[in-house]
Amino acid sequence: MTETVDTVETPTRAETDVLKKIDALEAAAKAGDSRLDPVVLTEAAQIVDRAGQRLRMSGDLTVVALAGATGSGKSSLFNALTGLDLAAIGTRRPTSSMPLACVWGDEPAGEVLTWLGIPRRHQVQHRSSLEDAHSEDLDGLVLLDLPDHDSTEVEHRLIVDRLVELVDMLVWVVDPQKYADAALHNRYIKPFASHSGVMVFALNHIDKLTPEQRKSCLEDLERLLKADGLKSPSVVATSAVSGDGLEEVRSLLVKRVSNKRSARERLAADVDRVSDRMASQCGTAKTPEIADADVTELVDALSDASGLTVVSDAVRRSYLQRARAATGWPLTKWVGRFRPDPLRRLHGDQVSREQGKALRKSASSEVAIARSSLPAATPVQRARMDAAVRTITTKAAEGLSRPWADSVRTAIRRREESLGDELDQAVARTDLGVSGNPGWWSFARIVQWLLFLVTLGGAAWLIALLVTRIAKLDDPPLPEWNGIPWAWIMLVGGAVLGVALSFACRVFATNGAVRRSRQVAKALREELEKVADSHVVAPARDELAAYTKCRDSLAIAREQSDRQ
């Protein structure tokens, strides 16, 4: 019972591992999009798509292809392995431009063969009536006889190139005269060195060699394959004429068909190959971190270049001036009207009231840039800002492979170009607090006007008394309080209290101006922090997040491979 459970679970676990590899490759390709080599990314996308199609098909079928050069004897080997005579079905295969497929067993293979692009007239069903000791053991095998990979017909080579990418296992049939052919090694073996587990090399026509020659050729072939990057190449000496090696080839096929892992191993090898290429571009460096101190320095530089200090000081002085105009002694505050408002000199009042509201209500990037009359950043301020951006860029790209380092720099540079305009918009978006005044200003204004009216009343009373005396009229009775005429009390008391209230309001207004200035400076700095984040920090962190995703996904794909 234990053995049965293991047998059932193993394929499921292996298939899960392959799916993890494929998912990891897909995630890495998405993360590396527009950063890594587009040729490699395209290949990764094709493998993911191809793997999805293959895994949706029957897992009980194992597609093995016999491939080789002209005269290698692969068709004879195909005849010997299938027990069929290709010459007898020549009417069904008029040329060698299309591969021939032989299917063992009753498992439907139509979907797989259609996916491989093999027409029905090139498909042969292996019959159990044929005397073959391994016939039942090979149920589920789909054996292909491919065109010559060195054919003079371009169509033949294209078919081979396509099917080499699709089949589950490859049996390369080589002969003693062409096994070292550079075209074979450079075009098919070296690029697929990671597929060693799903490739077999059959040195055919050994019946024409002496034992010494046979041994020498096998050793030399194995040496060449290892030089191509294959760790443990599987090499078999065969002869369709004498039957040498056929049993060994059949045994290999039986083993592959029985464990039903060739399709998954082939897909895993495909993922390994492109993952290795992506990993060589991506790198495995630790993800750089953007220090908070560097971000703070950037915000400080933006604050300096945007005129934060100038704006906050103008807010303070404007607050004081408006407070004096609202709460000052009526006879003296009119003098302040001749002084220009500090914010109006910066166009800040207009920006805050009109364009500031528009900017806060609209999220569109098409809103017109509100340019204030702030002094332009000095060369020193600009250099400080550029240095802060450069510091973050350098540290964010430190240790990364060139594609990712370039991607980080490009992402920041692309947004940095509009950094100056964003500083103006940050000032425009900031509420400078000119739309509303404190309630106590209105109360103080009312009291001031009451005191002013009292003062005017006392002055009018005294003037009227003076007129009557000049006209030598009888003096009207003048009410007194503790011997002091009420007219004088109204005149002097109203003026003194009004001036005293004006000074008291100025003290409160000074504190309020400082508080309002700090609030505006804080609000403007928060806007500048958003600018720093959206134009420098966020683009860099987005690229670093994509790098981390790509690197970690590739590590998962390769780790799964190692476990298998």
Side-chain angles (χ1 to χ4, degrees), residues 420 449 519 548:
W449 278 106
Q519 291 173 349
T548 302

Side-chain angles (χ1 to χ4, degrees), residues 29-36 41 407:
K30 288 182 178 179
D33 187 27
S34 74
R35 287 112 174 172
L36 302 182
L41 293 175
S407 181

Side-chain angles (χ1 to χ4, degrees), residues 15 47 109 151 175 199 271 306-307 349 371 387 463 515 555:
E15 184 173 349
I47 288 176
S151 173
D175 66 82
M199 287 196 296
V271 173
S306 66
D349 187 281
R371 295 191 176 276
I463 292 171
R515 185 167 54 253

Side-chain angles (χ1 to χ4, degrees), residues 76-383:
S76 299
L77 191 60
F78 181 84
N79 281 347
L81 292 173
T82 60
L84 300 174
D85 185 2
L86 286 175
I89 56 171
T91 56
R92 298 176 59 190
R93 192 190 190 197
T95 69
S96 58
S97 63
M98 290 296 295
L100 178 67
C102 182
V103 182
W104 275 258
D106 299 324
E107 180 72 18
E111 183 180 15
V112 172
L113 292 173
T114 299
W115 178 63
L116 293 172
I118 300 177
R120 290 186 60 85
R121 66 193 185 98
H122 291 269
Q123 302 172 17
V124 178
Q125 190 73 32
H126 192 278
R127 301 303 177 185
S128 59
S129 59
L130 294 172
E131 297 181 359
D132 189 346
H134 296 288
S135 179
E136 294 182 0
D137 295 335
L138 290 174
D139 283 354
L141 171 65
V142 178
L143 187 64
L144 306 182
D145 180 20
L146 303 187
D148 302 332
H149 71 77
D150 61 347
S151 173
T152 56
E153 295 291 335
V154 175
E155 180 186 4
H156 297 183
R157 297 198 301 271
L158 292 177
I159 291 173
V160 174
D161 292 346
R162 180 175 60 84
L163 290 176
V164 162
E165 296 278 355
L166 300 179
V167 298
D168 303 329
M169 180 179 173
L170 276 163
V171 177
W172 287 103
V173 183
V174 297
D175 66 82
Q177 295 181 347
K178 294 184 179 181
Y179 69 81
D181 180 40
L184 170 65
H185 289 265
N186 294 333
R187 188 172 182 179
Y188 297 105
I189 299 179
K190 287 182 179 179
F192 292 92
S194 60
H195 294 58
S196 178
V198 292
M199 287 196 296
V200 174
F201 297 87
L203 181 62
N204 205 20
H205 300 316
I206 60 167
D207 57 294
K208 299 179 181 179
L209 302 177
T210 64
E212 292 77 11
Q213 291 173 332
R214 178 186 306 181
K215 180 181 178 181
S216 176
C217 287
L218 288 172
E219 290 177 351
D220 192 43
L221 175 58
E222 186 171 354
R223 178 188 61 80
L224 291 174
L225 295 176
K226 289 182 178 180
D228 289 337
L230 280 70
K231 295 181 179 179
S232 301
S234 179
V235 181
V236 182
T238 61
S239 172
V241 177
S242 65
D244 288 340
L246 295 183
E247 190 62 32
E248 188 175 354
V249 174
R250 285 195 182 95
S251 297
L252 287 173
L253 296 179
V254 169
K255 182 179 179 181
R256 286 288 177 177
V257 171
S258 62
N259 63 30
K260 302 185 185 301
R261 294 188 307 185
S262 293
R264 292 189 294 270
E265 290 179 1
R266 168 58 200 263
L267 295 176
D270 286 340
V271 173
D272 289 343
R273 181 164 64 99
V274 73
S275 294
D276 288 342
R277 294 181 62 188
M278 289 181 63
S280 65
Q281 296 181 19
C282 178
T284 58
K286 180 181 178 181
T287 304
E289 295 183 359
I290 300 176
D292 292 339
D294 295 329
V295 178
T296 301
E297 170 58 24
L298 174 61
V299 177
D300 289 342
L302 295 180
S303 300
D304 193 19
S306 66
L308 182 147
T309 303
V310 175
V311 173
S312 61
D313 184 64
V315 169
R316 180 187 62 80
R317 291 186 288 113
S318 175
Y319 185 97
L320 280 175
Q321 188 169 326
R322 289 184 291 113
R324 291 169 184 170
T327 65
W329 177 241
L331 287 179
T332 58
K333 70 179 183 180
W334 65 273
V335 178
R337 297 183 180 275
F338 294 99
R339 300 174 184 170
D341 186 281
L343 278 181
R344 290 184 183 276
R345 294 176 66 181
L346 296 177
H347 296 177
D349 187 281
Q350 181 180 2
V351 167
S352 178
R353 290 178 182 272
E354 301 172 6
Q355 293 171 329
K357 290 181 180 180
L359 285 170
R360 287 193 293 272
K361 289 181 180 180
S362 176
S364 173
S365 61
E366 297 178 0
V367 175
I369 297 174
R371 295 191 176 276
S372 65
S373 295
L374 289 169
T378 66
V380 174
Q381 292 172 334
R382 187 71 191 181

